[in-house]
Amino acid sequence: MDTCTESKTIRLTFSDIELSRQLFGEQDGNLGQLSQLSGALVYARGNTVHIKGDEEAVDLSRNLLEQLYGLLKEKYPVYKHDFNHAYRILCEDHKAKLKKIFLDTVYITSKKRAITPRNQNQKAYIEAIRNYDIVFGIGPAGTGKTYLAMAMAVSALSKGTANRIILTRPAVEAGESLGFLPGDLTDKIDPYLRPLYDALHDMMQFEKVATLMQNGVIEVAPLAFMRGRTLNEAFIILDEAQNTTTEQMKMFLTRIGFNSKAVVTGDITQIDLPTDKSSGLVEAKNILTPIPGIQFVHFTKKDVVRHRLVQDIINAYEILEANRANHQTTPL
């Protein structure tokens, strides 16, 4: 790859024509995405990219293109949304190595799609799950907390480092009051556990999941079902943990047995407990952080990896809530 620099204009020539086409995207759509993100003018002539703009935007764009081209050479498929993720990573740390993040494949799904971290915090989260027995992932929806934990659980099962997977949630946001709901027990709890099923089915064939659940290798159950048990050689995920009480969190954490790993996920800004109940996740964060062997990974709205509109929606609601708070505190 040859590079020529002139003032605020850079030309990058990529030697592999086929890889350069993949990098540029259909009708150079990836380069158009990069132009929108960086504010620089980015366009292609043949297998050469021209970048014009202020120095910071040009340098960042070059860094991004060179690193994504390196990923393509490693057989990693680069898509349009990867430009968005990569841009955010390099904006925060221009020395970041995208290969270390994007090539950290956790699991290959039933759709033959690699599950990989999309930012620094996701990378730190995966490494924490590998290295610690109890990991807390705290942050807003869309940051991959539950999905990546599920991928690590399926990977552990396939490698034989865990004999079973146990997935659990508080059954009802305000405290597991199932009795008034219609239907039998399965009908009552399924809506609250459905997101866990969805993630699981995205990684394994439906028939395989059904067989493993029938054999007790995979268990999806409300948190109340964990009481009185000791869970050995298991990978356990507690989702929506912000809606556990102090007692429920203590109960869950003391279920962990030998050769087991637990991941606790939640968003402490979305607590649905009654006002007289403390969140078990908030209290765990406050009192368990100093304990060796327990790791906390905190995500922010910058780590959202869903559709780009999700982050815009989060920002819009944060502005609304801030305006409401200011209005309530402004004296008449």
Side-chain angles (χ1 to χ4, degrees), residues 43-89:
Y43 63 95
R45 291 288 183 270
N47 59 330
T48 296
V49 176
H50 300 254
I51 309 173
K52 298 180 181 180
D54 64 63
E55 184 176 356
E56 183 178 356
V58 168
D59 289 344
L60 191 152
S61 298
R62 175 176 59 181
N63 185 12
L64 185 149
L65 287 171
E66 289 176 340
Q67 291 207 49
L68 290 182
Y69 181 73
L71 283 169
L72 283 167
K73 293 173 71 174
E74 298 286 341
K75 308 300 183 183
Y76 180 89
V78 172
Y79 300 103
K80 194 172 182 179
H81 62 260
D82 290 316
F83 276 70
N84 188 45
H85 300 320
Y87 180 79
R88 286 159 59 183
I89 292 169

Side-chain angles (χ1 to χ4, degrees), residues 27 57 80 104 121 128 131 219 244 248 317 321:
Q27 297 182 339
K80 194 172 182 179
D104 188 358
N121 276 339
N131 297 321
E219 179 180 347
T244 61
Q248 288 173 329
Y317 275 100
E321 291 168 5

Side-chain angles (χ1 to χ4, degrees), residues 45-267:
R45 291 288 183 270
N47 59 330
T48 296
V49 176
H50 300 254
I51 309 173
K52 298 180 181 180
D54 64 63
E55 184 176 356
E56 183 178 356
V58 168
D59 289 344
L60 191 152
S61 298
R62 175 176 59 181
N63 185 12
L64 185 149
L65 287 171
E66 289 176 340
Q67 291 207 49
L68 290 182
Y69 181 73
L71 283 169
L72 283 167
K73 293 173 71 174
E74 298 286 341
K75 308 300 183 183
Y76 180 89
V78 172
Y79 300 103
K80 194 172 182 179
H81 62 260
D82 290 316
F83 276 70
N84 188 45
H85 300 320
Y87 180 79
R88 286 159 59 183
I89 292 169
L90 294 176
C91 273
E92 294 183 6
D93 180 8
H94 67 277
K95 294 182 179 180
K97 303 300 181 184
L98 297 182
K99 281 187 180 181
K100 290 186 177 180
I101 298 173
F102 287 96
L103 294 182
D104 188 358
T105 302
V106 176
Y107 192 74
I108 303 299
T109 71
S110 59
K111 299 176 182 178
K112 305 301 182 185
R113 179 166 50 85
I115 297 175
T116 62
R118 296 295 184 179
N119 51 55
Q120 298 279 33
N121 276 339
Q122 286 193 351
K123 171 71 172 175
Y125 184 53
I126 288 172
E127 291 180 346
I129 294 173
R130 288 191 180 116
N131 297 321
Y132 291 85
D133 289 337
I134 298 178
V135 175
F136 287 79
I138 301 175
T143 51
K145 305 181 302 295
T146 303
Y147 196 83
L148 288 175
M150 190 78 76
M152 294 294 285
V154 173
S155 178
L157 185 66
S158 66
K159 293 176 181 177
T161 56
N163 289 340
R164 54 182 170 156
I165 298 174
I166 298 174
L167 312 171
T168 185
R169 270 184 160 196
V172 179
E173 285 74 5
E176 303 198 355
S177 301
L178 294 170
F180 68 90
L181 295 174
D184 59 20
L185 184 59
T186 300
D187 295 330
K188 293 176 180 181
I189 66 176
D190 265 2
Y192 302 99
L193 302 175
R194 181 53 50 191
L196 298 177
Y197 286 111
D198 291 342
L200 193 57
H201 288 143
D202 196 34
M203 298 173 197
M204 305 175 72
Q205 295 291 348
F206 184 89
E207 296 79 7
K208 185 174 183 180
V209 172
T211 300
L212 292 174
M213 292 184 69
Q214 187 176 7
N215 294 336
V217 177
I218 296 178
E219 179 180 347
V220 185
L223 182 57
F225 284 31
M226 300 297 106
R227 194 174 302 278
R229 305 172 63 182
T230 300
L231 306 173
N232 295 315
E233 299 183 337
F235 196 115
I236 313 146
I237 299 173
L238 170 58
D239 193 33
E240 296 290 336
Q242 75 274 8
N243 292 323
T244 61
T245 63
T246 300
E247 295 78 14
Q248 288 173 329
M249 180 61 76
K250 179 182 177 182
M251 179 272 291
F252 172 79
L253 292 174
T254 54
R255 300 306 94 203
I256 310 304
F258 293 108
N259 299 319
S260 285
K261 190 180 290 287
V263 181
V264 179
T265 71
D267 179 2

